[in-house]
Every structure is written in structure tokens, then in C-alpha cells.
Amino acid sequence: DQHRLEDRRGRMVAVEAVQTFGKKKNAIAVAHCKRGKGILKVNGNPIELLEPETLRHKIFEPVLIVGADKFKEIDIRVRVRGGGNTSQVYAVRQAIAKGIVSFYQKYVDEQSKRDIKETFIQYDRSLLVADPRRCEPKKFGGKGARARFQKSYR
């Protein structure tokens, strides 16, 4: 959890960093949050360039809800894989939200962390709590998980 870096004199210093994840269906996003200058990147690209464009504002939600000033001194880098476009976007926004909360808990103070958490939960619970729904497997005797083939008497 604590990465090591050398300062100017060659001494080892701990970097203030947390690692959180977000999940939605089969998409898993891992966010690295550390002290920095407010960089937000997903798979190495800035989130302003994220495709599809229609879902881009969904990723900005955690930033807009608590205000950009909370993200000023934190660099967040997210890796995401699996799932489709929408699932990945929801996993990324969850990872970012959980990352900011745990960073504030660990390195800032409990009160501001509580405020941020309350704000997120009032807006949308899925920002902090994973959605447990998964795809149900297909069974025999039909074309899907629940649908059956039509019954005929002759």
C-alpha cells in the first residue's frame, strides 16, 4: 500500500497512496490515488478523451458532486478491463469515488471523509456500494436462463 520513493537527498520516503477497486458486471476498475496535482487518467488517457462521449459525464460525476477542489492535490490513475462500455464506465466512477473516500480517511481527516461519503451516498449509492447482480446461466430446455421452448401437443 505504501510505495517507496527517494527524496532529493536519496532518503527513502513513503508515498501517500491508496488502491481501490470498482466493479460492475464483469468490468473491474482499479484506481491508484496518490498525492499529486489533480491528474485523472483512465487506462493512461485523460478522462476528457474517454469514449463513448455520451457516458463521459458519468465518469465526471464523483468530481462534480464533491467539487473539483477535493481532487486538486490527488492524482488518480485507473486501470479497467472486462465488461462492456457502460459497465466499464460505472466501474471506473465507483473506483474513483471509493478512492477519494479512502484517501481522505487515511491521509486527511475523518470528518471530511464522512462528509464526502454522505454526499456520494445521497447522490447515488452505487458510487460506493457494488451492484451484486450477475448474469444468470442458460439452462437446457429453452433458449435462455428463464425462457422455455414453446410446448406443442401434436
Side-chain angles (χ1 to χ4, degrees):
D1 197 22
Q2 293 243 325
H3 311 294
R4 300 249 169 241
L5 229 75
E6 285 187 16
D7 66 0
R8 273 178 271 154
R9 295 209 179 108
R11 292 180 306 217
M12 299 304 270
V13 288
V15 174
E16 294 183 353
V18 291
Q19 201 173 9
T20 55
F21 65 89
K23 286 181 178 180
K24 172 81 168 154
K25 290 182 173 177
N26 285 332
I28 299 172
V30 179
H32 295 275
C33 308
K34 62 178 203 248
R35 278 220 194 275
K37 38 194 187 294
I39 297 170
L40 256 173
K41 287 193 171 184
V42 176
N43 286 347
N45 302 320
I47 62 174
E48 293 83 32
L49 305 175
L50 207 78
E51 292 295 322
E53 198 177 325
T54 48
L55 290 168
R56 198 175 297 158
H57 70 275
K58 272 293 195 201
I59 287 198
F60 277 110
E61 276 177 3
V63 184
L64 298 172
I65 294 163
V66 296
D69 55 315
K70 298 267 196 293
F71 285 82
K72 280 275 190 288
E73 71 275 358
I74 300 174
D75 285 353
I76 301 179
R77 288 186 169 77
V78 188
R79 286 196 321 272
V80 62
R81 53 188 305 180
N85 281 337
T86 310
S87 304
Q88 284 195 348
V89 166
Y90 275 86
V92 166
R93 74 198 273 265
Q94 188 182 44
I96 291 172
K98 283 168 76 173
I100 201 91
V101 168
S102 61
F103 187 88
Y104 267 73
Q105 179 181 11
K106 199 164 177 188
Y107 300 114
V108 189
D109 65 332
E110 192 62 34
Q111 187 53 49
S112 54
K113 169 240 163 179
R114 210 173 287 125
D115 295 341
I116 291 172
K117 198 170 178 175
E118 281 300 312
T119 317
F120 279 147
I121 285 177
Q122 276 177 357
Y123 179 80
D124 183 0
R125 193 160 177 269
S126 71
L127 278 168
L128 296 175
V129 182
D131 187 351
R133 294 177 298 176
R134 291 291 173 268
C135 190
E136 192 177 334
K138 179 198 174 302
K139 283 89 174 179
F140 54 84
K143 63 178 213 41
R146 297 288 173 95
R148 300 294 94 193
F149 293 134
Q150 204 166 3
K151 187 174 172 189
S152 126
Y153 287 103
R154 52 182 103 256

